[in-house]
């Protein structure tokens, strides 16, 4: 029997006339206190009491304690000032054993040999006892690594028995197996198909990685493998619009690489990621693109696409953008308004890049934060002795994000370029995206799992590790209402697609900034848990229905990035990237059981409904009842074509309709001031006596009337009536008569 941490399943009533019944969250409340991480395949009701292990009860209690530990002070919202940071003894500083069976080395060190070694490790892990005390040599090394940089006094005991990740070896994917044989025929039977615009009870038949039939009473060839989906939702696999696997960043590499990252994505129901090729300042964009392809192609377990960063500007960059869009399958470019001195572009370069995107039919993306303000504020905070992770949020508060979001929208709109704001992290930034859309701007907003699922209060956590683990840019917001607010906007259409900004660093990597928050590598996890977090916070909360869930986790991304309906839809001809979703099963998110390489999970302890029972990637069952079967290199690069109709469809018509109109009028035939290029003095000095003469002797208009266009004002300060002595009785009184007002608009 396969193992997973599905705790309870309650088949949904899908029989009733095609209508979906209300979510019957089987005993959710009582279940919360009865969770265990060991998978069982028995009747939930009869097994509940048996599964109330002491470990699981402790897990729930610890979650409660964790919440209690987080200070409730929110900048600007409360009266209690935060206490100075102290090194804490928090249990939740990190999750012991979180490195068990995780990639124990950085991607840069990962050779073919090490991949093999890891595969062996994983294989043997499945055979090992379930005892948490059995730690392999690799695990022990990782544990030592963590311990070496741990805060004194961190409690390391943990009694939750971790789920053992069962996954196949990371061997290269052999494309020869796609030979049209029975193993490439698959029927998903008895489920409810959910697209962004409809639900239907239907079977789905797949051949050679493509959906061939959708409906009932299908004619299916013999020998076809059947996935039983009764009581399950059959949805397009998730598309994570924003990841950074093995990103070289802030002196280190993101620890989840294209193998562990995409494997984790699949485990959570995401069948495609969109990563970023980010050149260093001055580096060729095309070379960066090829570097990323070389990293990703042999490792990816699911399909992927790339956005490319425009991290500097020159005519060569403009040329390369053309090559990337026309020849290399790129239709989106990310510009940074933050990370001063590395990737940040000034307004002039931003405008150039937006103009170029528009010419090429590409989508401009922005990381919207004011990098200059952040630099300034960071210096000040550090000089005040605020060196901990709370300084990260303080140095880049909401308005710094909102200002840049507004500026990006204005600049893009001025050149008529569609804009996609990545990682919308705050209420005020989301409000701007929403308001601009209402004003008719073509702008899309992407909240990420992190800001939908948790908040920035963690930056004030007593444990440095815990606080630093949440550091990302823009930061999570301390306003605890933020996740709810962003989810509401996502549900009602003000925000459109979701990513994760998955960019993970271990505790020891985060510790590069132990004495200076500006040096903490920015990034958090999310690629594995995005679907569950959005289901829990969006659907279970009643904010969105399953169709909207599909829209924001998959279809809208496919549309915006021009890969729809190949991706993002269950329909004949679409790629068979499918998740068979169990809406009633629950699990508790934990770094101990997740598939990511990182040793921390920002959603630690969160109970979520919605589990990917089966995940089908290109027609292959890669998750079967929670068990992962992936191979590195299984995924493919997906080119994203330019001039997406869902993005640029409106642009041409709009440009034509809103084209500036010239006013036809008789040319001006009066005198023209001569500029004296020699003088740097006031403009007034440049006006010649002749001109002044003209000024006073302007004739009547063509119709012979008084020339009202003649002004009595002169830039020299001289007035037409200067020669007339002022009447002594007239006194000009400034509304604010104080001398300090002189020079103001008054
Ligand atoms: O914290 C983050 N977001 N790290 C990755 C780089 C970026 O800005 O997306
Ligand atoms: Zn960013
Ligand atoms: Zn990012």
């Amino acid at each position: 029997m396969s193992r997973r941490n599905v705790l309870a399943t309650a088949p949904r009533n899908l029989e009733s006339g095609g209508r979906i019944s209300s979510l019957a969250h089987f005993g959710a409340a009582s279940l919360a206190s009865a969770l265990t991480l060991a998978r069982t395949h028995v009747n939930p009701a009869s097994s509940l009491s048996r599964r109330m292990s002491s470990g699981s009860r402790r897990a729930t209690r610890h979650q409660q304690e964790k919440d209690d530990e987080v200070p409730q002070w929110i900048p600007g919202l409360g009266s209690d000032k935060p206490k100075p940071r102290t090194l804490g003894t928090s249990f939740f500083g990190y999750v012991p054993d979180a490195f068990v069976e995780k990639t124990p080395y950085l991607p840069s060190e990962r050779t073919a040999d090490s991949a093999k070694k890891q595969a062996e490790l994983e294989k043997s892990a499945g055979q090992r006892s379930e005892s948490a005390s059995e730690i392999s040599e690799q695990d022990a090394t990782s544990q030592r690594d963590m311990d070496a940089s741990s805060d004194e006094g961190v409690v390391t005991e943990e009694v939750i028995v971790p789920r053992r990740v069962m996954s196949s070896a990371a061997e290269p994917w052999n494309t020869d197996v796609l030979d049209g044989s029975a193993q490439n025929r698959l029927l998903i039977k008895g489920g409810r198909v959910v697209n962004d615009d409809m639900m239907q009870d239907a079977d789905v038949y797949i051949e050679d990685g493509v959906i061939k039939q959708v409906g009932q009473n299908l004619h299916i060839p013999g020998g076809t493998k059947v996935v039983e989906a009764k009581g399950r939702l059959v949805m397009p696999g998730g598309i994570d619009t924003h990841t950074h696997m093995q990103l070289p960043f802030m002196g280190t590499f993101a620890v989840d690489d294209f193998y562990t990252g995409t494997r984790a994505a699949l485990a959570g129901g995401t069948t495609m990621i969109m990563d970023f090729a980010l050149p260093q300042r001055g580096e060729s964009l095309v070379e960066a693109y090829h570097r990323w392809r070389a990293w990703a192609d042999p490792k990816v377990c699911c399909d992927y696409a790339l956005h490319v960063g425009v991290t500097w500007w020159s005519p060569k960059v403009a040329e390369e953008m053309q090559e990337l869009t026309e020849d290399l399958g790129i239709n989106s470019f990310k510009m940074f308004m933050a990370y001063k001195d590395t990737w940040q572009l000034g307004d002039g370069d931003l405008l150039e890049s937006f103009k170029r995107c528009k010419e090429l039919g590409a989508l401009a993306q922005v990381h919207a934060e004011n990098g200059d303000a952040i630099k300034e504020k960071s210096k000040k905070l550090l000089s005040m002795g605020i060196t901990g992770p709370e300084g990260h949020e303080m140095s880049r508060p909401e308005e710094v994000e909102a200002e840049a979001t507004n500026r990006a929208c204005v600049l893009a709109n001025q050149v008529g370029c569609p804009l996609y704001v990545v990682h919308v992290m705050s209420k005020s930034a989301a409000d701007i995206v929403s308001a601009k859309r209402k004003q008719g701007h073509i702008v899309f907003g992407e909240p990420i799992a992190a800001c939908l699922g948790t908040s920035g209060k963690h930056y004030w956590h007593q444990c440095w590790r815990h606080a630093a683990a949440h550091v990302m840019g823009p930061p999570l917001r301390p306003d605890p209402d933020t996740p709810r607010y962003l989810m509401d906007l996502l549900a009602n259409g003000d925000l459109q697609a979701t990513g994760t900004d998955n960019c993970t660093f271990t505790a020891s990597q985060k510790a590069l900034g132990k004495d200076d928050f500006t040096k903490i590598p920015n990034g958090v996890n999310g690629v594995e848990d995005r679907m569950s977090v959005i289901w829990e916070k969006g659907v279970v909360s009643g904010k969105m229905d399953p169709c909207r869930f599909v829209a924001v986790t998959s279809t809208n991304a496919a549309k915006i990035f021009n890969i729809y309906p190949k991706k993002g839809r269950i329909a004949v001809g679409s790629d068979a990237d499918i998740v068979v979703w169990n809406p009633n099963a629950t699990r508790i998110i934990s770094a101990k059981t997740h598939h990511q390489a990182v040793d921390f999970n920002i959603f630690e302890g969160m109970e979520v409904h919605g589990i990917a029972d089966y995940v089908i990637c290109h027609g292959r069952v890669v998750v079967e009842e929670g068990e992962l079967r992936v191979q590195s290199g299984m995924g493919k690069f997906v080119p994203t074509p330019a001039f997406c109709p869902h993005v640029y469809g409106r642009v041409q018509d709009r440009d034509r309709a809103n084209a500036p109109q010239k006013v036809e009028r008789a040319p001006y035939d009066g005198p023209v001031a001569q500029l004296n290029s020699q003088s740097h003095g006031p403009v007034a000095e440049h006006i010649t006596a002749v001109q002044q003469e003209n000024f006073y002797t302007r004739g009547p208009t063509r119709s012979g009337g008084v020339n009202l266009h003649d002004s009595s004002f002169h830039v020299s300060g001289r007035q037409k009536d200067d020669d007339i002595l002022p009447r002594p009785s007239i006194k000009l009184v400034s509304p604010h008569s104080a001398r300090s007002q002189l020079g103001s608009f008054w």
Side-chain angles (χ1 to χ4, degrees), residues 594-648:
H594 71 201
H595 299 77
Q596 299 201 224
V598 70
D599 57 347
F600 192 92
N601 192 312
I602 56 166
F603 308 115
E604 184 72 30
M606 186 187 291
E607 185 190 1
V608 286
H609 294 78
I611 290 183
D613 274 357
Y614 294 87
V615 179
I616 291 126
C617 191
H618 270 299
R620 271 178 48 117
V621 181
V622 290
V623 174
E624 186 155 10
E625 299 206 9
E627 190 176 314
L628 258 178
R629 297 200 193 125
V630 296
Q631 286 177 311
S632 59
M634 271 173 59
K636 283 197 178 62
F637 175 72
V638 179
T640 53
F643 290 106
C644 173
H646 301 282
V647 174
Y648 272 89

Side-chain angles (χ1 to χ4, degrees), residues 578-605:
I578 296 173
V579 56
V580 178
W581 192 251
N582 184 342
N584 296 315
T586 63
R587 68 183 175 107
I588 293 183
I589 297 176
S590 174
K592 294 182 70 175
T593 51
H594 71 201
H595 299 77
Q596 299 201 224
V598 70
D599 57 347
F600 192 92
N601 192 312
I602 56 166
F603 308 115
E604 184 72 30

Side-chain angles (χ1 to χ4, degrees), residues 242-244 276 334 336 367 422-423 473 501 503:
H242 189 152
T243 67
H244 300 281
F276 291 80
K334 178 177 179 184
F336 291 86
H367 173 131
V422 304
H423 47 44
D501 207 357
C503 186

